[in-house]
Amino acid sequence: MELSPSALALLGLLLAAWTATAVWLVVSSLQRSRAAKQSRITVRRLTRMIDDSPAIPLLVKADGKIEGPDRLAAWLGLDALPGFLSELADSEGGLSEGDLEQLREAVRRTQKTAAPFRMVITPRKSEKSLALRGQLANASIASGGAALIWWFDFSESQGELSHLRAETARARNDFAALVGLIEAAPMPMWFRGNDLRLQLVNSAYVDAVGAKNAAEVVDKQVELIERVDGLDAAQIAKQAKDQDRPVERIVQATVGSQRRTLRVSDLPLGVEGVAGYAIDIEELEEQGRSFRAFQAAQRSMLDQLSVGVAQFDEDRRLTFANQPFQRIFELPSSVAIEPPRFERFLDMARDRSRLPEVRDFPEWRTELASWFVADAPEEDQWTLPDGTHLRIVAQPMPDGGLVMVAEDRSEQLALSATRDTLLRTRTATFDSLFESLAVFAPDGRMQLWNRSFPAIWGLPEEFFDEHPHVDQLLDRISNRLARPAQRKAIGEVVMAATLDRREKGGRVVLSDGRTLEFAGVPLPDGNGLLTVMDVTDSTKAEQALRERATALEEADAVKTRFLANMSYEFRTPLTSIGGFAELLQSGVAGDLSDQGKEYVHAILASVERLSTQIESVLDLTQSEAGLLPIAREDVDLFEFTTHQVRSREEAIDAKNITLDLRGDKGAGSVKADRRQLGRAIGNLLDNAIAATPQDGRILVALSRRKSGARIVISDNGEGMKPSELARAMDGYRLKGKDGNDGKRGLGLPLARQLIEAHGGRLEVQSEKGAGTTATVLLP
């Protein structure tokens, strides 16, 4: 079948169109293939860049699904990255429950509000520090409100930061400790800036200058150290800074309110400034002065010794030699001006024949020089050419010096020659003593005895030749005792003297009626001395004296009762006499003449005086018997003494006496019987008034002491001799210059009894021609 030309043309056009379309499709496919390949290359490059980047992205979708590289799983300690955010917590790794909950809350807030967030987490069982930065994901990355989280590993930076923080904290603590140490330092410390002005001071500096605080010191530039040689503290600090070396000096400064000696140091600190501190060395200076004074006193004391003492320093030069040492070795006085060395001292002593004769003197001198380096004291015996025997002791000192002691023992050797003679003399003396003696060793065995010791016990002398033990001696004498059990007392005395080193005695009665008194005395050599004496006659005399003393005591008691009874018996007629005299004086029996009134007045005065004497006798007897009643109450001493003085104004004015009462309320009060104490003080005042001459002076002084109160009553009267004072204290009445009795009587003994009844004490001092002083001490 043939086609028409139009059909063929149409067919050709269709083929051409199809071919062109095929060519276009092939070209387009090639272009898309090249673009896809380039996209794959770009995606691989971006993926590689993300894998190598320090940050890892994590896409969290709205439904909780997550997308991210597996490298993040390694950071979190997981085997693989889970599919959901809630699965990031795992017991073996991942996030902790708290961090996961915080992350989920931050993601939800970002998905809702598009607000970014930041947080730091540390995975479980990992030391990594991960920083998270979250934001809403771009719609081109994910739609539907997904969140994009970038994870950063800053573990190394965090470690360095932690290290720096630790170093900073340690430096801060060290600085705080250093500041605290400086602040707590007991010595003043300060710091000057580059301009040499005070910038910092511690509390000790503030206290030393008397400022309120450190700010005031810095503001006012208050200097602790005063000018010395025209230079102030800042100028000295400038010298230290310019010379770049510490400057130390000792100066006087006022610290607080005291003048002290300070050791001041200025320390340059480069361009920062100058630091300084001051150490109080006043105590060291005082100790130095005390040591020098002690050394001078020690050397003065060594001069008083009979033993020669010399000191050599570490250079072997003589620094001190006491007078005995100089006399022994005949040293010239020039040694005090030019002290010789040890070797030169030996040469000088040899020239004066004050050293022993030796075969090789240089070698011997070298041996003596080794004393300076010896480990222990050296001792030697020197016999000088003139027969003097010296004991030499060389004591090396820790500082390399030497102390040399020279003791002249010539007399000791001479004395030892007479020792045997003394021993024989001692034996003869023992035998001639009236007492019986025996010496026992600490083991109880008898060492020495005299001839009368065996005789007093009635034992044969042959028994003592074996030096018997004390137990053997007691066995032999026990049958001679009236009470054999008393042998134990003798053994205890010997034991006390030998072992206990104390004295002890006793008394035994023998079967023949004799009384022996024995005593044990410890001896310096460790032995014990037993002395025995026949006191039969003295015992009988003692018994007679005791019987006589008992009789005298009974007689004294009878006397006391008699005086008490007589005192009571005298009161009744005296009361009657006084009463009738007062009736006569009042005019009941009619008016009296002037002479009658004078008689009545004399009767009343005598009755009052006799009544007072009777009361004194009665009180004195009661006090001696311990029966005096004391009603104690609080007594103000000043008011009480003032009342006693004023009650005697008439007697004081009659003799124109000047009475000086010293004291005030500070004397305090005492617990006392006002009446009895008044009588005691009154008697002392009356005695002082009676003893004081016309126009005389009396001093009454009150004072308070720790132990109680003191009342002093002193007059400038005639005074008494010691014998007269003793008689006055016993109650005897003394005669005055005119031959009349006049003073004391029972006043002093009664006052003493009354004061002692209060627990006090009366002390009376008197000097003939100077007056009398009575001191009352009350508790």
Side-chain angles (χ1 to χ4, degrees), residues 709-759:
R710 186 177 73 163
I711 305 174
V712 178
I713 301 174
S714 178
D715 63 69
N716 65 341
E718 179 184 353
M720 295 176 286
K721 298 179 182 178
S723 59
E724 294 176 341
L725 177 60
R727 288 174 58 83
M729 295 300 292
D730 290 337
Y732 291 97
R733 187 171 296 276
L734 305 179
K735 297 293 184 180
K737 290 183 178 180
D738 54 1
N740 298 324
D741 72 341
K743 48 184 179 179
R744 294 169 181 95
L746 295 178
L748 281 178
L750 179 60
R752 180 175 61 184
Q753 292 289 347
L754 293 175
I755 291 170
E756 291 178 353
H758 286 81

Side-chain angles (χ1 to χ4, degrees), residues 545-618:
L545 290 175
R546 287 182 178 177
E547 294 175 356
R548 183 176 179 183
T550 303
L552 290 175
E553 290 177 358
E554 293 178 355
D556 185 68
V558 171
K559 179 204 70 173
T560 301
R561 291 194 296 271
F562 171 75
L563 290 176
N565 292 333
M566 289 301 295
S567 299
Y568 281 116
E569 292 297 332
F570 281 150
R571 283 186 174 182
T572 301
L574 283 176
T575 303
S576 299
I577 294 172
F580 287 128
E582 289 176 355
L583 290 176
L584 292 174
Q585 188 180 38
S586 63
V588 173
D591 295 334
L592 299 176
S593 62
D594 293 339
Q595 188 174 9
K597 291 180 180 178
E598 184 177 349
Y599 290 160
V600 171
H601 179 74
I603 292 172
L604 290 174
S606 298
V607 168
E608 182 180 0
R609 182 177 179 185
L610 186 56
S611 297
T612 302
Q613 292 296 328
I614 291 173
E615 289 184 2
S616 297
V617 172
L618 180 60

